[in-house]
Amino acid sequence: MKLWGGRFTKETNQLVHNFNASLSFDQKFFEEDINGSIAHVTMLAKQGILSETDKESIITGLKGICEDIKSGRLLIDEEHEDIHSFVEAHLIERIGEAGKRLHTGRSRNDQVALDMKLYTRKEVLEMDSLLKNLLSSLLKIMKENTDTIMPGFTHLQKAQPITLAHHMGAYFEMFKRDRSRLHDIYERMNYCPLGSGALAGTTYPLDREYSASLLDFYGPTLNSMDSVSDRDYLIEFSSAMSIIMMHLSRFCEEIIIWNTNEYQFIEIDDSYSTGSSIMPQKKNPDIAELVRGKTGRVYGSLISLLTTMKGLSLAYNKDMQEDKEFVFDAIDTTKGCIVLFHGMLDTLTFCKDKMRASAEGGFTNATDAADYLVNHGVPFRDAHGIIGQLVLYCIDKNISLGEMTLEEYQAISPVFKEDIYDAISMETCVSKRNTIGAPGQEAMKKVISVYEKYLSE
Ligand code: ARG
């Protein structure tokens, strides 16, 4: 059934129909479309715009359609232009005259704005809970590894010793911010466009507050032109998803590096690895690579949507139909990546000995050796120079700072005493760093308890 056609004298060209149609993708929100319609007719009846009998039969009809689509008894065929026409046509087929009253005081413009909002709102919450689950796993790893020493890097060069808990904590912060972005989006988007009509509201005495409350919105939107043409929340959501993907991608990059033969900091579980068709020895981190790879796709959705919107005059323009495929794809991709990444993280093994050994090499305690001199009265700039010389000496001898004899130390500076070894041990380097946010166990325990409280809320 077409929702229009009265003023036309010719049939639509088939290619035009196909090009114009959105049913192949907007069927994704058939349930939201039906729930929105149920709220709409409930409000119409309360306002005396629709009779109680018509309301009842429309609601029964709509619920039947919903169940039949879910159970597969009613197939969504391509004959209709979009999900709105599909549902309305089937309603009229099922209940007759009353079905023709469903669209009173409504346009597809406010209808689609509502459907997309309802769908997105649900997905924002779903994504938030997936991130929360991921954070629980991260916190578990943190709690178990406040003493697991590993090298921290800058420029991908070993820099200073840290702990695995500290490294995981960095990602905890990122995903925590991602959740708070989702919460912000929810707060801003949760206003109901239903009742805005095509662009200028309607002449019927609609109760927009009431339909908004039926659908759990904070209230109605306040400008009908903006209501039918606002896609900001989709851009914000795409942006938030892009940032989530960027975080996952950075984490994946580290997992890929840690999983190499050269590092061997971790072992990805067999169930989350893949093999090579030619090289029998290979065990590849495909999942991490794919998550990293799919990041570009989600960025693409953000840029596409921004570009689609940038030249649009008010109010609704058909260009806006292009919002759906991008956003649906970005949502499915991001959710899939969070779930897969989470599974990979939960099953991987941390090779703590390898991490520890790696931290010992690369002079990660050089800063602490300089601090030792400073604590004994040497100015920092001089201390920096002295330790630089020691490092050169060690490189030449192929030893670490901890392997130098006291005589060797004292040959360079008499300030060094026996306690230098303790001062530059990995344990000391980590445990002395106790400013909040640092890897020291004391600081880390405080942060962990903040995280515990955060996750229990
Ligand atoms: N499929 C359309 C969309 O997604 C529904 C709204 C149609 N409105 C219109 N005036 N043609 O945007």
Side-chain angles (χ1 to χ4, degrees), residues 289-306:
E289 290 170 19
L290 264 179
V291 171
R292 189 178 59 183
K294 283 178 192 290
T295 304
R297 180 167 165 169
V298 176
Y299 291 0
S301 123
L302 170 63
I303 297 303
S304 304
L305 197 49
L306 281 168

Side-chain angles (χ1 to χ4, degrees), residues 32 35-40 42-43 114 117-122 125 185-194 207-221:
E32 284 75 16
N35 290 339
S37 290
I38 291 175
H40 182 61
T42 307
M43 181 276 295
L114 172 68
K117 238 183 195 181
L118 288 173
Y119 183 85
T120 308
R121 188 178 68 175
K122 179 186 80 188
L125 292 178
I185 293 168
Y186 187 98
E187 289 301 304
R188 249 190 310 283
M189 72 176 281
N190 198 26
Y191 293 88
C192 184
L194 187 60
D207 184 347
R208 292 195 57 218
E209 277 80 9
Y210 181 64
S211 30
S213 76
L214 289 176
L215 293 164
D216 285 328
F217 284 103
Y218 296 148
T221 50

Side-chain angles (χ1 to χ4, degrees), residues 20 22 25-26 81-82 84 107-109 112 231 316-318 320-321 323-324:
N20 192 44
S22 52
F25 47 89
D26 64 17
E81 182 183 330
D82 51 32
H84 324 296
S107 154
R108 272 186 301 163
N109 296 353
V112 76
R231 301 291 182 273
Y316 178 84
N317 293 274
K318 187 77 171 195
M320 290 173 184
Q321 177 166 291
D323 63 358
K324 293 171 197 62

Side-chain angles (χ1 to χ4, degrees), residues 230-457:
D230 167 31
R231 301 291 182 273
D232 290 7
Y233 69 99
L234 295 176
I235 296 174
E236 286 189 50
F237 191 27
S238 298
S239 162
M241 289 189 282
S242 297
I243 299 174
I244 293 171
M245 289 301 297
M246 179 270 288
H247 290 154
L248 285 174
S249 184
R250 291 183 72 179
F251 209 157
C252 283
E253 173 71 12
E254 301 209 292
I255 285 183
I256 292 162
I257 293 172
W258 292 352
N259 187 59
T260 56
N261 234 336
E262 288 70 23
Y263 277 77
Q264 299 179 12
F265 282 8
I266 55 167
E267 189 167 341
I268 300 178
D269 194 67
D270 275 3
S271 60
Y272 278 85
S273 311
T274 44
S276 156
S277 59
I278 175 168
M279 298 167 282
Q281 85 282 13
K282 291 277 255 178
K283 190 172 142 187
N284 293 327
D286 282 23
I287 300 309
E289 290 170 19
L290 264 179
V291 171
R292 189 178 59 183
K294 283 178 192 290
T295 304
R297 180 167 165 169
V298 176
Y299 291 0
S301 123
L302 170 63
I303 297 303
S304 304
L305 197 49
L306 281 168
T307 311
T308 297
M309 293 304 294
K310 88 179 187 44
L312 299 189
S313 59
L314 288 176
Y316 178 84
N317 293 274
K318 187 77 171 195
D319 315 44
M320 290 173 184
Q321 177 166 291
E322 286 294 305
D323 63 358
K324 293 171 197 62
E325 285 166 291
F326 302 143
V327 174
F328 291 157
D329 185 71
I331 293 174
D332 293 343
T333 304
T334 308
K335 280 190 344 189
C337 288
I338 300 173
V339 170
L340 264 294
F341 181 88
H342 189 178
M344 177 174 65
L345 182 71
D346 268 350
T347 49
L348 62 75
T349 313
F350 292 99
C351 310
K352 300 180 186 179
D353 295 346
K354 288 268 170 26
M355 287 180 166
R356 162 87 201 205
S358 170
E360 300 269 3
F363 306 102
T364 57
N365 48 4
T367 316
D368 295 77
D371 289 346
Y372 173 90
L373 291 176
V374 171
N375 288 331
H376 288 79
V378 181
F380 181 76
R381 201 41 64 208
D382 293 342
H384 190 285
I386 293 170
I387 305 302
Q389 284 176 43
L390 285 185
V391 168
L392 260 186
Y393 178 83
C394 288
I395 292 174
D396 190 45
K397 293 231 150 6
N398 197 21
I399 55 173
S400 68
L401 288 173
E403 284 165 334
M404 281 175 57
T405 64
L406 191 55
E407 290 68 43
E408 286 172 310
Y409 270 112
Q410 286 174 341
I412 292 183
S413 166
V415 176
F416 288 115
K417 298 276 156 3
E418 187 62 39
D419 59 353
I420 176 65
Y421 295 104
D422 183 49
I424 61 165
S425 76
M426 292 293 114
E427 279 69 23
T428 311
C429 292
V430 166
S431 64
K432 276 203 155 170
R433 289 184 156 73
N434 274 315
T435 47
I436 203 73
Q441 286 80 355
E442 234 171 80
M444 192 50 68
K445 281 190 178 126
K446 281 187 202 146
V447 169
I448 286 176
S449 76
V450 172
Y451 290 170
E452 263 170 344
K453 186 156 171 284
Y454 162 78
L455 283 182
S456 70
E457 277 159 6

